[in-house]
Amino acid sequence: MLQRFPIESKGRRKKLQEVGYVTTICFTCFLVRCIMMCFNAFDKGADLDVLNHPILNLIYYLVSLMNGCF
């Protein structure tokens, strides 16, 4: 999509800024999730088992990850 805009155009700059915001949000969500998983690995009291089934947990975290990125 950025190929349609001239090099120094306002639309191109705005689109790059939007991509940067989305990338930052996704990275932050992923980092928080990684930290939570580390706490879960070392602290038995921190339970991230939301739905009491591995496949349902996978679906839950995938949906929450997708909602965080979009």
Side-chain angles (χ1 to χ4, degrees), residues 17-18 22 27 34 39-40 43 45 47 50 53 55 57-58 60 65 69:
Q17 188 177 20
E18 179 183 331
V22 171
F27 173 77
C34 287
F39 281 134
N40 187 36
D43 184 13
D47 189 20
V50 180
H53 193 276
I55 300 299
N57 280 333
L58 175 68
Y60 173 79
L65 180 67
C69 288

Side-chain angles (χ1 to χ4, degrees), residues 12-40:
R12 183 183 180 102
R13 195 173 320 120
K14 186 177 177 182
K15 182 55 75 176
L16 283 173
Q17 188 177 20
E18 179 183 331
V19 168
Y21 288 151
V22 171
T23 302
T24 302
I25 291 169
C26 287
F27 173 77
T28 303
C29 291
F30 180 75
L31 184 64
V32 168
R33 185 176 176 277
C34 287
I35 292 169
M36 288 174 42
M37 293 302 261
C38 287
F39 281 134
N40 187 36

